[in-house]
Amino acid sequence: MRISVKAPAKINLTLDVLAKRSDGYHEVEMVMTTVDLADRIDLTLLEDGEIHLECSASYVPVDERNHAYKAARLLQMRYGINKGVQIYIDKQIPVAAGLGGGSSDAAATLRGLNTLWGLDLSLDELAEIGAQIGSDVPFCVYGGTALARGRGELVTPLGAPAPCWVVLAKPLIGVSTADVYGSLRVNEIAEHPETGDMLKAIESQDFSLMCDSLCNVLEEVTLARYPQVRQIKELMRESGADGVLMSGSGPTVFALVQKQAKVHRIYNALRGFVKDVYAVRMLGGSEAEVLA
Ligand code: ATP
């Protein structure tokens, strides 16, 4: 028996850091949504209890460090499962890019194994297990659009925002999320997002308010370190993007665009500058689906 699960990338429409906690995590408040750039996870039932993993990208770890592997192992241990799985990850989401690829793979594996191993767990239960793998995994379990609080694991699902195109561009640098958070001085953040305005923009499907409310406090750290990220933002704006922001800890920058004609212009302008450019639809609604 074999099933395939879609693991979409996420972007941050807002990312605020409220405080550094005594447990070392940061208290965050972020609005996230999913876009139609996805890894595909194939799960094949193994009767012997083993977990095997392969990935189309050679630089992704295929042992117990892989987030999808961790997801399978955690489910086995928590529910005493004696079945195993062969996991294949068809990697389409750039790695260490601020697009949550590893988190989404873990979440898709949890959803898929819930079906493959006949566990019948709720999304809330899967999200709780996902929180042990990473702070963004619970959001990825629900998919769609959501407000995430705490260290990211307290997820409130939201409605779909105004439909639009998203052009993503990733310069040829990998950014460590831990380094970026480590360099952030929480008491000296220059501009915090108006998260309430973003929630209003989503609820009323107001595209221009959504663009005006884009804000990520981690930009000031990553932009200061990597001038290419600032250049990509400027190029997107000059080419007619309606809204521009860095996702997560970067370095991927995204442009929100309503008119399809503009999408080509922005895509072509960026292709002259960086190799990794994608023009996709915002998904926005719940995408927690098992494909077959
Ligand atoms: P985050 O913001 O959660 O760090 P990201 O999009 O910036 O997410 P990922 O693509 O998830 O970064 O990769 C971060 C690291 O996680 C990589 O360096 C990689 O070694 C490790 N990793 C573990 N499992 C996976 C996976 N399934 N896909 C990609 N990376 C993975």
Side-chain angles (χ1 to χ4, degrees):
M1 187 182 170
R2 177 177 144 168
I3 57 173
S4 293
V5 196
K6 194 170 164 178
K10 62 88 186 162
I11 54 171
N12 291 83
L13 299 177
T14 64
L15 193 164
D16 201 3
V17 178
L18 307 176
K20 175 127 199 239
R21 310 191 327 189
S22 53
D23 61 6
Y25 286 105
H26 286 83
E27 190 71 20
V28 297
E29 189 169 63
M30 355 183 235
V31 176
M32 295 192 273
T33 192
T34 43
V35 298
D36 199 9
L37 168 65
D39 294 342
R40 196 194 70 240
I41 316 279
D42 298 332
L43 302 170
T44 309
L45 187 66
L46 297 179
E47 295 294 347
D48 59 4
E50 296 274 316
I51 299 169
H52 294 294
L53 191 143
E54 284 176 60
C55 181
S56 59
S58 56
Y59 42 84
V60 171
V62 290
D63 52 19
E64 61 283 350
R65 289 170 298 169
N66 193 293
H67 298 330
Y69 188 104
K70 284 183 192 168
R73 181 62 81 210
L74 273 172
L75 276 182
Q76 267 188 338
M77 286 179 357
R78 175 123 168 206
Y79 297 99
I81 310 293
N82 53 18
K83 289 173 189 155
V85 65
Q86 168 75 45
I87 303 170
Y88 177 75
I89 302 174
D90 177 25
K91 197 88 203 143
Q92 299 296 328
I93 305 172
V95 174
L99 297 173
S103 302
S104 193
D105 291 352
T109 303
L110 289 171
R111 292 197 309 267
L113 288 178
N114 194 28
T115 304
L116 194 73
W117 288 346
L119 302 178
D120 208 20
L121 300 170
S122 66
L123 288 183
D124 290 349
E125 286 169 299
L126 295 177
E128 195 204 313
I129 296 164
Q132 296 173 45
I133 304 167
S135 303
D136 287 346
V137 180
F139 164 74
C140 296
V141 165
Y142 297 102
T145 306
L147 173 68
R149 290 204 182 98
R151 61 179 174 88
E153 86 287 16
L154 306 174
V155 178
T156 308
L158 302 169
C164 65
W165 291 89
V166 184
V167 183
L168 303 143
K170 181 195 163 286
L172 252 189
I173 41 174
V175 166
S176 151
T177 305
D179 279 359
V180 174
Y181 272 99
S183 306
L184 183 74
R185 291 175 200 273
V186 178
N187 297 326
E188 294 171 21
I189 291 170
E191 190 198 357
H192 287 276
E194 297 289 347
T195 307
D197 285 354
M198 182 56 81
L199 296 179
K200 247 183 257 161
I202 290 168
E203 202 190 349
S204 55
Q205 296 207 313
D206 183 335
F207 180 72
S208 59
L209 182 59
M210 174 164 70
C211 292
D212 291 346
S213 310
L214 293 171
C215 183
N216 175 353
V217 298
L218 300 181
E219 269 194 344
E220 58 187 66
V221 177
T222 308
L223 263 62
R225 251 184 229 174
Y226 304 105
Q228 308 95 299
V229 180
R230 188 184 299 278
Q231 284 169 325
I232 291 175
K233 285 192 76 177
E234 281 162 12
L235 196 54
M236 283 176 167
R237 274 209 199 89
E238 284 162 16
S239 318
D242 298 308
V244 175
L245 194 71
M246 184 184 83
S247 185
S249 51
T252 302
V253 175
F254 65 86
L256 301 186
V257 192
Q258 214 164 24
K259 294 209 175 82
Q260 194 169 1
K262 275 195 200 169
V263 173
H264 298 296
R265 188 162 12 120
I266 299 168
Y267 181 88
N268 290 333
L270 287 160
R271 281 292 293 184
F273 194 69
V274 279
K275 196 171 90 8
D276 280 341
V277 187
Y278 309 86
V280 296
R281 297 290 297 176
M282 188 183 277
L283 290 171
S286 179
E287 298 302 319
E289 65 180 307
V290 173
L291 292 176

